[in-house]
Amino acid sequence: MADNVRRIAVMTSGGDSPGMNGAVRAVIRMTIARGCEAWAIYEGYDGLVKGGDLIKNMIWEDVRGWLSEGGTLIGTARCKAFMERRGRLDAARNLITRGINALVVCGGDGSLTGADTFRKEWPTLVEELVKTGECTKTQVEPFRQLNIVGLVGSIDNDMSSTDATIGCYSSLSRICEAVDSIDSTASSHQRAFVIEVMGRHCGWLALMAGVSTGADNIFIPEHPPDDDWEDKMCTIIKKHRELGKRKTIVIVAEGAHDRHLKKISPHHVKDLLSNKLKLDTRVTTLGHVQRGGAPCAYDRMLGTLQGAEAVDAVLKPDLKIPSPVICVIENQIVRKPLLEAVRLTHEVTEAIEAKDFDRAMGLRDNEFREYYNAFLVSTAADQPELKLPQEKRMRIGIIHVGAPAGGMNAATRAAVAYCLARQHTPVALHNGFPGLCRHHDDKPLGSVRDVQWLDAEQWASRGGSEIGTNRALPSEDMKTTASCFEKYRIDALFLVGGFEAFTALSELRVARKQYPQFRIPMVILPATISNNVPGTEYSIGSDTCLNALISYCDVLRQSASAARRRVFVIETQGGATGYVATIAGLSVGAVAVYTPEEGITLDMLKRDISHLREQFAKDAGQNRAGKLILRNERASKTYSTEAIADIISEEAKGRFESRWAVPGHVQQGGIPSPMDRVRAVRFGLKSLQHLESFAGKSKDEILADPMSAAIIGIRGSQVAFSSMEKVEAEETDWKNRRPKYEFWKDYKHTINVLSARAKYEG
């Protein structure tokens, strides 16, 4: 095939993972949108070798409705034939005869290693095909090079060079749902449960599940316990029981072992708890429940963004990275050398087998080690080695400000645990600043309360705010706020909340000149479903919101699809920022997203109605044909959600119909998502460490240091603290209560391209 059309094929290989279908959809639609031909290779490398109908030319409509589907709809299979040169020759011939010279592979390290081997052998494979007469010189001339791009699809999150793999957070969600369910029955009967999760060579799932659920102990391959682990585990659990804890949860990765590589089985742990501590103990092995089901919001978004980036990597290659793998570092999609990522991944396994566990932990990313340390600090009730001398101990106030958001309680629990481990005194300021000012000296129980370990221990998985939250600001009664800080000897302040918390910290910082009581270190951990706090690209609670919203949208899409010719206009929360609408739109495959930043015009509605007419005409009554439009609650004062639905119905002239829906406070979510929980713990501990760094400093020294009033957040590929003074002055759109720069705005174009709306833009 000697024409000039680029043909890009996509395949999934290895174990399936939720989010793979979103990646395949993005690759196929982005390929078509860029003027190339899209191909799908069914059944992984087996389909690549066998060819025939297993290598299929794809059209736009073939991947309609795939985003919400679990597993991989193009299949995956083990293939011994590809491991032999003859199999790879057949694979090369199958690609050449179809004119394909670029391959996007979504799978684990084994699948990606096979893909790179195929790329390196490609020139010799082509030569051999010519020599044997299976292909002609003319036929192979345009295909002297094979472009390979990797996407990491794995529930274990075991690939180096990336913070997350497609499917890992969906799997973690399944585990946390199971543990949360077990938690209630364990507490009812004062039982212990030993839960085995997947992770043969990587303990990410066990570690994150431990952090998310507040487990008493975890066992992971990279960091096996000391030789006296049995006694240590029993001592910790016995201490927890003596403090009043009614249940015990131990999480064991399937690849867990001791320092001599002897397997630690869940049944061995169960026998210890039963015999040594006399606890009524059960074992639960979650198995393949962890792998199945619909993908969570993050995996849909990650698969979509990485799939789109993979096509860019084919069409605009970086010559310094011949075979890239698409990775994510914190909040940034990046390209890394595939072979280097695979090499580092294999080195972890080799280090474990060599019993070099320090190296194994070092080869995992910094985030992994941080979470491991966070688990240790936030779990054990008594840690003498962490205690600070008397002169460095502080009374740290903890306050929630603004609307409730998933993860607030997890952050507070982590902060309390860290304070107690370090011998600080955690002081909960209940019901925000109004609670502090109006009820601090109520009898018998005021709003200012020292927090004990057992008070907060159960908060890891709870939604809302256990200490209460309020939108009111300290400026409503700054004098009383200052006197309360003095009366209760608040040495540092940890704020958790959204834009109101950001504004509150700004007010306290400015008031330092008048009120010396505020010359203490203060830090805010952004927590809001709107994700509109300046100084960070991520606020805890936003992921919980997105998961609640996409579940709601999936139900409406199913209803719309059953009716065949229906579009739902759904109103999202988010205030004056379109983050929730945009990321949800990316995750559900919305045909259009309306945000306050862009607004809504009559011309825009006309173009979108034309787009809908075209789409419904192409669907021709097929399944999965339901359409969704997402509108932020403040996208327009004129064109309300109901009005847009009515306009669409009127202009459709009976060809299709529209409905509207408002999920409202459902979007605040119930139980926080695992991502919000683990990031709340990580950011909470970092925030406390930041406050702690000011211990012993004078009020004048604190006043002179811009970082004494700070915000923690994700900035691109880093977690960083920023001074409030700088963020307020340079990064804040005070009028619209949002950051001046919003990283996600570029995603709007991706949504429009993948919904075919792009050609109607502008």
Side-chain angles (χ1 to χ4, degrees):
M1 228 177 252
D3 55 32
N4 294 320
V5 177
R6 292 295 301 272
R7 294 176 176 85
I8 301 173
V10 61
M11 59 181 277
T12 53
S13 178
D16 65 295
S17 61
M20 278 183 164
N21 292 318
V24 171
R25 170 185 177 271
V27 170
I28 287 170
R29 288 198 168 179
M30 190 60 73
T31 297
I32 295 169
R34 299 290 287 274
C36 306
E37 273 189 18
W39 293 70
I41 299 169
Y42 283 71
E43 312 306 338
Y45 284 109
D46 194 48
L48 186 59
V49 171
K50 291 179 179 176
D53 292 339
L54 295 176
I55 303 178
K56 179 183 173 184
N57 186 202
M58 303 290 281
I59 61 172
W60 192 272
E61 289 74 22
D62 286 336
V63 292
R64 180 182 51 238
W66 281 27
L67 262 172
S68 61
E69 297 287 340
T72 166
L73 293 172
I74 61 173
T76 179
R78 295 186 182 278
C79 182
K80 290 183 179 179
F82 189 78
M83 297 178 185
E84 305 294 330
R85 185 168 176 85
R86 179 63 254 175
R88 294 193 290 276
L89 282 166
D90 291 339
R93 186 188 67 248
N94 286 330
L95 292 182
I96 289 168
T97 56
R98 290 165 177 80
I100 298 167
N101 66 352
L103 186 60
V104 178
V105 180
C106 183
D109 63 323
S111 302
L112 299 182
T113 302
D116 195 70
T117 300
F118 191 40
R119 179 194 66 83
K120 284 189 293 187
E121 281 188 0
W122 182 263
T124 62
L125 293 171
V126 170
E127 286 179 14
E128 191 170 334
L129 288 171
V130 173
K131 282 182 183 177
T132 58
E134 295 178 66
C135 292
T136 66
K137 277 188 177 182
T138 305
Q139 198 175 18
V140 303
E141 194 55 41
F143 307 105
R144 291 291 180 181
Q145 183 180 345
L146 177 68
N147 288 340
I148 293 284
V149 178
L151 299 173
V152 192
S154 166
I155 66 165
D156 294 330
N157 198 17
D158 54 355
M159 179 67 80
S160 294
S161 303
T162 186
D163 285 349
T165 57
I166 298 168
C168 69
Y169 274 102
S170 297
S171 180
L172 181 60
S173 297
R174 305 283 177 274
I175 294 169
C176 289
E177 286 169 13
V179 177
D180 290 344
S181 298
I182 287 169
D183 197 86
S184 58
T185 188
S187 185
S188 299
H189 296 274
Q190 299 192 62
R191 282 183 179 144
F193 275 83
V194 184
I195 300 166
E196 186 179 49
V197 302
M198 287 184 172
R200 208 174 316 149
H201 302 297
C202 179
W204 188 86
L205 284 173
L207 171 59
M208 294 303 188
V211 173
S212 297
T213 61
D216 295 84
N217 214 333
I218 60 170
F219 294 95
I220 61 174
E222 297 90 340
H223 200 296
D226 296 330
D227 289 344
D228 60 347
W229 68 268
E230 296 176 342
D231 291 335
K232 282 185 175 178
M233 179 187 73
C234 290
T235 299
I236 290 171
I237 291 172
K238 184 180 179 184
K239 176 72 173 176
H240 290 176
R241 289 286 179 152
E242 288 171 350
L243 287 169
K245 192 172 182 180
R246 290 179 58 86
K247 44 88 178 179
T248 298
I249 301 290
V250 178
I251 298 177
V252 183
E254 62 179 325
H257 50 75
D258 63 18
R259 301 192 77 82
H260 308 286
L261 303 184
K262 180 183 176 183
K263 182 175 176 59
I264 295 176
S265 73
H267 288 281
H268 176 48
V269 176
K270 180 242 180 195
D271 291 341
L272 274 172
L273 299 180
S274 297
N275 299 329
K276 200 165 184 178
L277 297 181
K278 308 302 180 186
L279 295 177
D280 183 5
T281 309
R282 302 286 193 273
V283 172
T284 300
T285 299
L286 297 181
H288 282 73
V289 165
Q290 298 160 82
R291 191 179 290 282
C296 67
Y298 182 81
D299 283 329
R300 298 188 195 193
M301 178 186 73
L302 185 64
T304 299
L305 293 177
Q306 290 191 338
E309 178 65 20
V311 176
D312 269 349
V314 168
L315 299 178
K316 298 177 183 176
D318 182 344
L319 299 179
K320 297 175 185 175
I321 309 176
S323 277
V325 60
I326 311 301
C327 302
V328 60
I329 307 296
E330 295 298 353
N331 229 27
Q332 199 165 23
I333 304 296
V334 296
R335 302 179 196 177
K336 294 287 186 76
L338 190 155
L339 272 187
E340 177 69 4
V342 170
R343 181 184 66 79
L344 291 172
T345 303
H346 289 168
E347 280 189 24
V348 177
T349 305
E350 291 164 7
I352 292 171
E353 290 171 350
K355 302 179 185 177
D356 190 351
F357 303 117
D358 286 339
R359 176 164 170 73
M361 286 294 286
L363 285 166
R364 294 292 182 209
D365 54 36
N366 290 333
E367 187 183 74
F368 188 92
R369 185 179 287 276
E370 278 187 26
Y371 277 121
Y372 183 78
N373 292 333
F375 173 77
L376 296 180
V377 170
S378 63
T379 298
D382 187 22
Q383 302 179 71
E385 71 280 5
L386 294 178
K387 293 180 180 178
L388 289 171
Q390 185 67 42
E391 65 273 13
K392 293 202 170 183
R393 298 174 187 175
M394 309 165 78
R395 285 177 58 81
I396 299 178
I398 303 171
I399 190 167
H400 294 177
V401 185
M408 277 183 158
N409 293 319
T412 305
R413 175 185 177 274
V416 168
Y418 184 83
C419 284
L420 296 175
R422 302 287 277 172
Q423 295 292 285
H424 301 303
T425 302
V427 184
L429 310 179
H430 286 253
N431 304 319
F433 286 102
L436 172 67
C437 294
R438 300 171 193 167
H439 304 290
H440 64 93
D441 56 357
D442 284 3
K443 305 297 179 187
L445 192 63
S447 60
V448 181
R449 306 172 203 166
D450 291 2
V451 188
Q452 305 304 316
W453 181 82
L454 193 62
D455 295 335
E457 198 283 324
Q458 302 280 350
W459 293 357
S461 60
R462 290 189 184 172
S465 168
E466 288 294 312
I467 66 171
T469 185
N470 195 293
R471 294 179 182 271
L473 300 172
S475 55
E476 293 186 11
D477 193 347
M478 195 67 81
K479 184 177 179 180
T480 304
T481 302
S483 67
C484 286
F485 273 43
E486 184 173 22
K487 178 177 181 178
Y488 296 102
R489 295 179 290 111
I490 303 300
D491 301 317
L493 185 65
F494 177 46
L495 299 95
V496 183
F499 202 89
E500 289 85 359
F502 178 84
T503 307
L505 182 49
S506 172
E507 291 182 353
L508 294 173
R509 182 190 67 78
V510 172
R512 281 172 163 177
K513 293 178 182 178
Q514 183 178 354
Y515 298 99
Q517 297 93 329
F518 301 143
R519 295 173 191 174
I520 59 175
M522 299 182 280
V523 66
I524 174 179
L525 194 171
T528 167
I529 68 170
S530 303
N531 197 22
N532 65 333
V533 180
T536 184
E537 294 177 6
Y538 176 88
S539 301
I540 63 171
S542 58
D543 187 65
T544 300
C545 167
L546 287 167
N547 280 294
L549 183 55
I550 66 164
S551 295
Y552 183 92
C553 289
D554 285 349
V555 171
L556 293 188
R557 181 187 285 280
Q558 186 180 65
S559 170
S561 295
R564 290 297 190 264
R565 294 179 175 275
R566 179 176 294 171
V567 57
F568 269 96
V569 184
I570 301 169
E571 181 173 296
T572 73
Q573 291 187 338
T577 178
Y579 173 83
V580 170
T582 300
I583 304 302
L586 198 67
S587 302
V588 300
V591 294
V593 174
Y594 302 134
T595 63
E597 290 84 353
E598 190 179 27
I600 305 174
T601 66
L602 188 56
D603 283 344
M604 187 186 295
L605 292 174
K606 287 178 179 177
R607 292 195 301 268
D608 288 337
I609 290 168
S610 296
H611 175 43
L612 286 169
R613 286 195 191 106
E614 183 180 326
Q615 289 297 303
F616 278 116
K618 284 183 179 178
D619 291 340
Q622 296 180 38
N623 64 352
R624 293 181 177 152
K627 310 284 188 247
L628 301 179
I629 291 175
L630 270 55
R631 175 194 174 276
N632 168 278
E633 59 189 342
R634 296 190 192 171
S636 170
K637 291 181 180 178
T638 304
Y639 299 109
S640 67
T641 304
E642 183 178 3
I644 292 171
D646 289 345
I647 290 169
I648 291 172
S649 288
E650 181 68 24
E651 294 298 319
K653 307 296 184 187
R655 297 175 192 172
F656 52 90
E657 59 185 23
S658 67
R659 298 285 188 275
W660 61 281
V662 181
H665 284 74
V666 166
Q667 294 162 83
Q668 287 187 355
I671 296 173
S673 73
M675 175 177 282
D676 279 334
R677 297 191 215 178
V678 297
R679 285 187 168 176
V681 171
R682 182 186 178 203
F683 296 170
L685 294 182
K686 278 180 169 288
S687 297
L688 268 289
Q689 289 162 358
H690 181 76
L691 294 174
E692 193 177 65
S693 69
F694 290 88
K697 290 190 177 182
S698 69
K699 287 189 177 293
D700 287 341
E701 287 175 314
I702 290 170
L703 179 63
D705 190 340
M707 292 303 292
S708 65
I711 180 170
I712 187 173
I714 291 178
R715 288 177 174 270
S717 60
Q718 293 184 323
V719 175
F721 288 94
S722 307
S723 80
M724 280 291 294
E725 187 175 7
K726 185 175 186 296
V727 173
E728 290 168 41
E730 299 176 10
E731 302 178 27
T732 306
D733 178 351
W734 287 100
K735 179 183 177 183
N736 291 304
R737 292 166 50 91
R738 66 191 184 207
K740 287 181 179 177
Y741 167 72
E742 295 174 303
F743 76 97
W744 50 265
K745 287 169 79 171
D746 291 343
Y747 297 168
K748 284 288 298 291
H749 180 66
T750 303
I751 294 171
N752 292 342
V753 170
L754 297 180
S755 68
R757 186 187 183 221
K759 64 183 178 182
Y760 291 93
E761 287 182 301

